Amino acid sequence: MKYIYILVLILASWSAKAVTNVQYQDDFKQLLDIMYESHANLKWLVTERNINLEQHISKTKNALSQAKGDDESKAIIDKFINYFNDPHMRLKWRNGNVVNNPTSKSMCEKLGFFERHKVGIKYHNIPEFSAVKDKRVNIFEIGVLSLENKKVGVLKIDLFDPLGHLEICNETINTLELSSSETCDEECLLNVEITASNILSNKLIDHVHVLEEQGINALMVDIASNGGGSNWSHAVARLLTKIKIKSASLGFIRHPHWIEQLTLSLSLIEEDLLNVSNTKNTNLQLAKERYSKALKLAKMKCPVQIKVDRGTTDCELVVQNIMFSTGALDYVSPGKLNGLKSKEHLFNPSIYEYQEGEYNGPLLIHVDEWTASSSELFASTLSDNNAASIIGVPTMGAGCGYTNDGIKHTLEHSKATVLLPDCVRFRADGSNEVFGVTPDILLPWRMNKRFPSNEYQRGKIIVEGLKYWMKQSSF
């Protein structure tokens, strides 16, 4: 007890030591260096949003030089970050007054499961909507919109993170035969994520089949307010169409973080090349060529420090036109890479169990201003492959976020942590996904702060949009 008390005093003493004004200015300089060296989307943000970065930096430096106290200095730097309106650009201040005491966690919490927020439109407010109740459906909200003698099935996906579906935790534990007395290491946690994804995929298809039994003429997958999640979205997209979906192009930054990833991928591919049959050799050889080229370019240092002024750079930070959002390959049929240690690095969806085209009818994706990250990837991939029509309002424009948990930086004096996007996804037309996804059927809707929960009005607008789509489409 005595030692705990001493520890608390030490921590309190550390937290009481204030960061000086000059030190906050030094931390801001460090933040700028971090941005120049590792923010994958900085060039596009500055160019497309017409940010005068030099002026923005100058104003922030001037404000910091006159700041009085911690709160004002932190607020000035927060304002600088928020100005970019980039949800993957994050700075978290350290709170030295908090002493974390270990608390007991359930096994599900230890494995990373959590209760997701069920957000978005409440379809039961819409007169044309009938909820579907069936013992086989207990994860995703589903129902049928009856419109002009046609039926549109609705499947609502709140989140593309399988661990956000706490209700499948016990099934995941039982499938893997995990014991509460065992420690789940990194490999174990990966197996938990993959197993949970496969369980969700099976349940999702059960939901779709139940809707098909209702005689639906089309399916609308609602990912409004879905903030993203994991690569499981790759598998879900392929479940919902027989079209052989090709992946988006991926850009990556010249940085040790990516050098480490590419080196590991290449070593696993080379190991597989020594042990596989000729049937898989072609994919491996192509992957080796692409990873070798990517690694060589990732190691090339810019001749001068990157300076960004309205989108111009002395050196390109982002390497393009080599890799895909799924790895070295943009398409591989399910099961073709089984048995390869490097399959995740060749084509990421191959780590999941799925069959293409479990649903093969007309498909719509409903998005809104809170649809972000891997949800935007889901929508844009289906749209770019002409596999679905998008309905709603333009998405958030979060784009690609972090690979392998991202690059974590700590500012020297304040100990604030900084996390920036380290990748870029490019759509079929070459545009950066960070610009957001513009729907094919634009709905006249905007969030009203005075009436944020007017779901009835929003539901009516969706219904009218669907009727318009029905008239314009051939189904």
Side-chain angles (χ1 to χ4, degrees), residues 27 31 74 77-78 81 88-94 411 414 416-420:
D27 275 3
L31 173 61
K74 289 177 181 179
I77 296 176
D78 283 338
I81 293 285
H88 285 132
M89 190 174 179
R90 300 175 183 175
L91 183 146
K92 184 178 181 181
W93 298 105
R94 180 171 179 173
L411 300 184
S414 63
T417 55
V418 179
L419 194 59
L420 303 173

Side-chain angles (χ1 to χ4, degrees), residues 55 103 200 227 365:
Q55 185 181 74
T103 56
L200 271 184
I365 310 297

Side-chain angles (χ1 to χ4, degrees), residues 361-423:
L363 181 65
L364 297 101
I365 310 297
H366 176 228
V367 300
D368 69 1
E369 62 269 41
W370 298 109
T371 300
S373 199
S374 63
S375 296
E376 292 176 298
L377 173 63
F378 173 80
S380 61
T381 299
L382 286 167
S383 176
D384 288 348
N385 281 272
N386 297 314
S389 297
I390 312 298
I391 182 171
V393 299
T395 63
M396 180 179 289
C400 195
Y402 323 110
T403 58
N404 284 7
D405 297 325
I407 309 167
K408 296 179 176 64
H409 306 272
T410 302
L411 300 184
E412 181 181 357
H413 302 293
S414 63
K415 306 304 177 185
T417 55
V418 179
L419 194 59
L420 303 173
D422 61 78
C423 54

